[in-house]
Amino acid sequence: MRDHSTGRRGFEGVLIAVAATFLTVSATSVLAQSPTRSPADLAIDAAVPVPSPVDLPPPSVGDFKPETPAAKPDAPAKPDIAAAPAPAEPAKDIAATPAPAAPEPSKDTAATAPAAEPKTEAPAATATAPAAVPAAPATDQATTTKPAEPQKPASTVAAADQPVADQLRDLLAKSASRYFDRKAERSAVEKFYETRDYAPVWTKAGALTAQAKGVIARLKDAAADGLDPEDYPVPSFSAATSPEALAEAELRLTESMMDYARQAQSGRMHWSQVSADIQYPEHPIDPAQVLAKVTTAADASAVLDSYNPPHKLYRELKKKLAELRGEGDKPVIKIADGETLRYQPARKKRAEVKMDDPRVPQLRARLGVSENPESTTYDATVAAAVRKFQDHADLKATGVLDERTVKALNTPKRDRTIDTIIVNMERWRWLPRDLGAPSLGDAYVILNIPDYTLKVMQHGAEVWTTRVVTGKPGKHATPLLTETMKYITVNPTWNVPPSIIYNEYLPALQQDPTVLDRMGLKLERNRDGSIHISQPPGEANALGRIRFNFPNKFLVYQHDTPDKNLFAREERAFSHGCMRVQNPDVYASTLLNIAMPEKDYTPAKVRAMYGRSEVDLKFPTPIPVNITYQTAFVDDAGKLQLRKDVYGRDATMLALLKNDKGKNLEAVVAHAQPNYSRPTKLPDGVSVAGDYTGSSGASSSPFSFLENLFGGPQPRQQQPAQRNQRRVYAR
């Protein structure tokens, strides 16, 4: 009989051998995925009791849980067996105990879960085997890991400039208005520095950039353009030894650069500061464009200089200013009073006449005569220098040193001339950068009030010029403006401006209710109860035969006049504000040939339209009209011309520049305009024709007040002639 217990034990032995082999292979596989194990580690692994193959099912995939990657990114991933209770008493002196080939399973541990790999202390670091960083428990990793925060883009600022960039960020965040009080400029500067991560633009590693050097050179030379360098202070970068100081200097230079660009383009003062009868179109700078252009330019000085007026007459004044300041560097030499000195060249029967005087050496030095500087003889060379000075000083060029010439030599007229040039350069900043119409060859009209001249320009050259009569000083001064001439009216009706009605004609009606009838003027009431006075077309019309219309808020225009004798005078400020043109038929044909060259207008063709009915000749493209005030200009011969400050504009501007440096001269001053739309009571006996119908012939006229004043686009109804008409002179 076979011993079944023995067979069972043999079968169990086979199962135990198979299970042991399986576990050994599994452990070997796990260990193969781990870093190299030390003998101590292997001994510990061998000491862990092996579960009984009878009660423990074969291991499955669920029994293995991959471990979260270690802290070091280059460490290989190692799976981790699910945690189980560690043995209560680990073997002592394990390293000295040899590992048994096949350990006997323990019944006490057979019912437990597979044992986890016990934690051990990492071996000491060596040159060949660095210590491994123990990973966090797998259960914590699986439940508490947070998503990684997004990485900030790397800064584009150089390391050497980063401290300054940090300071710039703080300054602009906390006190940008301390440097830039204009909102548009402040916003542009903040955005500019933000887009470059607040990297400084004027310095690089503490040294000035090429753009900074160009800007500084232009600011220091501001006087060449009639500006004041003190208005654009340049910070000391050499004294800035800290990031805070460099950031402060950076913003101060940006501030001065922006101030220069703005004032170079639009002026140090707004035109409304000077007078209520000035209106030019605004042309402010674009702060973002200034920053972009200047900071990226190869020649920052030239770019900044481009904000000054581009006009030829401005550039010529700039040259004269430089010439006069060159003379100003010489020491002041006073010529004493004395007898009149003259030189007479030799004649056929008369010898050369020279005079001696102790003042002649000073005179030679004053006039720049280098020949015989110590000579006391008033000879031909000295006389020629005196003659040249007299011509420049608007004196009769005789070459005789008389009392008037000595006074002119000793008067600091040169300083007054410099001031005059500067204020004229300032007024050029108010004018549009493009004076003309590009589609018409840059054609435009320019009228200079103190010179009493009008010019038609095209392609940068003078086409035609004539004399004009302008407004009287005071409340009748001709305004300064830029508008566009839209049409010409032949045989115009004179719609009397409200200022003349209320300031002159109504007071005259109080004295004589029939005065308007005797003057050939028609009085009507507007729908609002105010008064309208007009004069029909005709030879005696105050506007003459032609009116040139460029509607504007000052209600002025250019026109013909029946009174031609005033054009012969040197000073011609006699009108009520409008501008009378000496040769209106030639003026009209010149403008019409520019606007409509295919029509071939001539002065004779224009005169053929003279009659009793209005004729409007519209321009397909309006022609700009620029009314200016040039008391200093350079003529075609290159000579500086000075004119009388007839309206006192120079004096007002100089007073503002010299005495109001602390005020904001760029602020706009609001000027109230008179309101003439009010019911008016007329004296008894005044003849009223009826309700004013305007150009449409109906009381509900669709035309605006300006159109009623300047004339509507359709020919007016013919007015009956009045025999007793008297000449009335318009504005």
Side-chain angles (χ1 to χ4, degrees):
M1 185 174 178
R2 300 177 67 177
D3 187 353
H4 295 286
S5 61
T6 304
R8 186 169 57 252
R9 286 196 297 269
F11 179 74
E12 290 175 351
V14 172
L15 289 177
I16 291 171
V18 171
T21 302
F22 176 81
L23 291 174
T24 302
V25 172
S26 300
T28 303
S29 176
V30 172
L31 293 172
Q33 300 179 33
S34 303
T36 305
R37 312 285 288 183
S38 67
D41 295 330
L42 296 175
I44 293 172
D45 291 339
V48 177
V50 180
S52 171
V54 177
D55 299 323
L56 182 66
S60 64
V61 176
D63 295 324
F64 297 92
K65 187 174 183 180
E67 181 181 317
T68 304
K72 288 191 177 181
D74 55 349
K78 181 175 70 174
D80 187 17
I81 301 175
E89 285 290 330
K92 296 183 180 179
D93 218 6
I94 293 175
T97 306
E104 190 73 26
S106 171
K107 293 181 180 180
D108 295 337
T109 60
T112 63
E117 181 180 339
K119 297 181 181 179
T120 61
E121 292 184 5
T126 63
T128 58
V133 179
T139 53
D140 295 340
Q141 291 273 348
T143 57
T144 62
T145 301
K146 296 181 180 179
E149 293 184 2
Q151 294 278 341
K152 291 184 179 179
S155 174
T156 59
V157 182
D161 295 324
Q162 189 61 56
V164 181
D166 293 339
Q167 292 297 324
L168 283 172
R169 185 193 304 270
D170 291 343
L171 284 175
L172 288 173
K174 297 176 181 177
S175 55
S177 59
R178 183 160 61 95
Y179 306 93
F180 310 99
D181 55 356
R182 293 167 178 80
K183 184 177 180 180
E185 294 180 9
R186 184 167 62 252
S187 298
V189 170
E190 289 173 340
K191 186 174 181 180
F192 171 77
Y193 280 103
E194 181 183 1
T195 56
R196 52 187 290 116
D197 279 346
Y198 298 92
V201 69
W202 307 128
T203 60
K204 189 173 184 180
L208 287 176
T209 61
Q211 287 80 7
K213 293 176 181 178
V215 169
I216 291 172
R218 176 56 50 193
L219 298 182
K220 289 185 175 180
D221 195 38
D225 281 286
L227 301 172
D228 188 351
E230 293 184 3
D231 291 340
Y232 323 106
V234 175
S236 176
F237 284 89
S238 60
T241 58
S242 66
E244 295 88 341
L246 282 172
E248 172 80 13
E250 172 89 12
L251 293 182
R252 288 300 182 192
L253 185 59
T254 304
E255 176 190 16
S256 292
M257 179 204 69
M258 200 68 73
D259 288 344
Y260 180 97
R262 182 180 61 257
Q263 294 186 358
Q265 178 154 305
S266 300
R268 282 190 283 173
M269 66 180 69
H270 193 269
W271 34 262
S272 63
Q273 298 270 351
V274 179
S275 176
D277 54 13
I278 303 175
Q279 187 176 48
Y280 288 115
E282 304 282 357
H283 48 272
I285 60 170
D286 181 344
Q289 184 188 65
V290 174
L291 286 164
K293 290 175 63 176
V294 175
T295 60
T296 59
D299 187 348
S301 177
V303 171
L304 201 52
D305 180 46
S306 68
Y307 288 96
N308 287 294
H311 313 109
K312 179 183 176 182
L313 289 175
Y314 173 87
R315 297 195 305 269
E316 290 176 342
L317 284 177
K318 181 177 178 178
K319 292 179 182 177
K320 291 299 179 183
L321 180 62
E323 293 175 8
L324 291 171
R325 282 180 167 154
E327 295 178 4
D329 294 336
K330 299 177 182 178
V332 178
I333 299 175
K334 293 286 187 178
I335 307 300
D337 292 332
E339 64 175 322
T340 299
L341 301 180
R342 59 172 48 88
Y343 166 79
Q344 294 180 352
R347 303 284 184 177
K348 292 182 178 180
K349 297 183 179 180
R350 186 182 65 189
E352 181 183 39
V353 177
K354 301 179 182 179
M355 300 181 66
D356 279 86
D357 192 284
R359 298 172 297 164
V360 174
Q362 287 78 24
L363 186 62
R364 291 176 184 269
R366 171 66 178 80
L367 298 175
V369 178
S370 57
E371 180 182 343
N372 300 322
E374 302 300 327
S375 173
T376 60
T377 302
Y378 193 85
D379 55 19
T381 304
V382 178
V386 170
R387 189 178 300 109
K388 182 178 179 180
F389 169 81
Q390 290 170 330
D391 182 64
H392 178 75
D394 294 330
L395 298 174
K396 188 174 182 180
T398 61
V400 176
L401 185 70
D402 54 15
E403 183 179 353
R404 291 188 62 191
T405 304
V406 171
K407 184 178 180 180
L409 284 166
N410 293 333
T411 301
K413 184 177 182 179
R414 182 173 63 246
D415 295 337
R416 292 201 303 270
T417 302
I418 287 175
D419 287 341
T420 301
I421 290 176
I422 287 174
V423 295
N424 277 271
M425 293 173 73
E426 178 77 1
R427 283 193 290 266
W428 273 108
R429 303 182 196 281
W430 301 343
L431 287 163
R433 288 300 182 259
D434 296 321
L435 297 177
S439 61
L440 299 177
D442 291 322
Y444 63 91
V445 175
I446 186 166
L447 186 146
N448 183 6
I449 294 172
D451 194 46
Y452 307 107
T453 56
L454 177 151
K455 295 181 179 181
V456 179
M457 306 291 292
Q458 190 178 31
H459 302 298
E462 179 183 308
V463 176
W464 182 77
T465 185
T466 191
R467 291 187 165 200
V468 295
V469 172
T470 61
K472 302 174 184 177
K475 63 182 180 180
H476 296 307
T478 295
L480 311 185
L481 57 86
T482 289
E483 280 294 348
T484 54
M485 189 181 298
K486 297 174 174 60
Y487 62 100
I488 294 172
T489 302
V490 184
N491 309 313
T493 294
W494 182 39
N495 295 289
V496 183
S499 59
I500 297 179
I501 292 176
Y502 286 90
N503 295 330
E504 298 183 26
Y505 284 175
L506 289 183
L509 287 172
Q510 299 289 342
Q511 302 295 324
D512 182 358
T514 66
V515 64
L516 296 183
D517 291 335
R518 291 187 290 104
M519 296 173 66
L521 301 178
K522 182 171 66 173
L523 187 149
E524 302 163 283
R525 279 198 180 275
N526 295 316
R527 291 177 62 87
D528 59 5
S530 58
I531 297 300
H532 176 263
I533 298 176
S534 61
Q535 184 184 26
E539 182 180 358
N541 187 279
L543 305 184
R545 292 294 189 177
I546 307 176
R547 181 181 62 213
F548 303 88
N549 306 292
F550 43 97
N552 57 85
K553 78 169 191 175
F554 301 109
L555 312 180
V556 297
Y557 36 81
Q558 296 165 354
H559 61 87
D560 182 20
T561 177
D563 191 1
K564 307 290 187 182
N565 67 300
L566 294 178
F567 293 111
R569 302 194 182 186
E570 287 300 316
E571 295 185 5
R572 298 185 289 277
F574 296 108
S575 77
H576 282 71
C578 286
M579 295 138 277
R580 307 174 191 173
V581 184
Q582 184 174 20
N583 299 296
D585 53 347
V586 183
Y587 184 30
S589 64
T590 301
L591 294 176
L592 290 167
N593 283 326
I594 290 175
M596 298 176 284
E598 71 282 357
K599 296 295 184 68
D600 192 25
Y601 279 96
T602 63
K605 189 174 181 179
V606 173
R607 289 194 298 271
M609 301 179 190
Y610 291 174
R612 305 293 299 177
S613 298
E614 284 191 353
V615 178
D616 289 328
L617 303 174
K618 297 181 181 179
F619 296 160
T621 301
I623 298 177
V625 176
N626 304 283
I627 312 300
T628 67
Y629 193 85
Q630 303 171 50
T631 55
F633 60 93
V634 179
D635 62 18
D636 294 337
K639 181 179 178 181
L640 178 66
Q641 297 287 342
L642 300 175
R643 294 293 181 265
K644 181 180 178 181
D645 184 15
V646 59
Y647 293 164
R649 300 285 183 259
D650 290 359
T652 300
M653 293 177 67
L654 285 171
L656 287 169
L657 290 174
K658 291 182 177 180
N659 299 328
D660 293 339
K661 299 293 280 187
K663 294 184 178 180
N664 184 5
L665 298 181
E666 299 173 33
V668 178
V669 177
H671 297 283
Q673 298 295 321
N675 180 18
Y676 296 110
S677 296
R678 58 180 184 269
T680 304
K681 182 179 180 180
L682 296 173
D684 295 336
V686 175
S687 175
V688 179
D691 292 336
Y692 176 55
T693 61
S695 302
S696 66
S699 59
S700 56
S701 172
F703 299 105
S704 67
F705 178 77
L706 281 175
E707 289 173 319
N708 286 331
L709 179 66
F710 287 99
Q714 300 296 327
R716 293 181 181 273
Q717 297 178 356
Q718 184 170 342
Q719 301 287 346
Q722 296 190 25
R723 295 181 181 179
N724 62 344
Q725 280 188 342
R726 295 171 55 188
R727 284 186 175 179
V728 181
Y729 303 120
R731 301 186 74 183

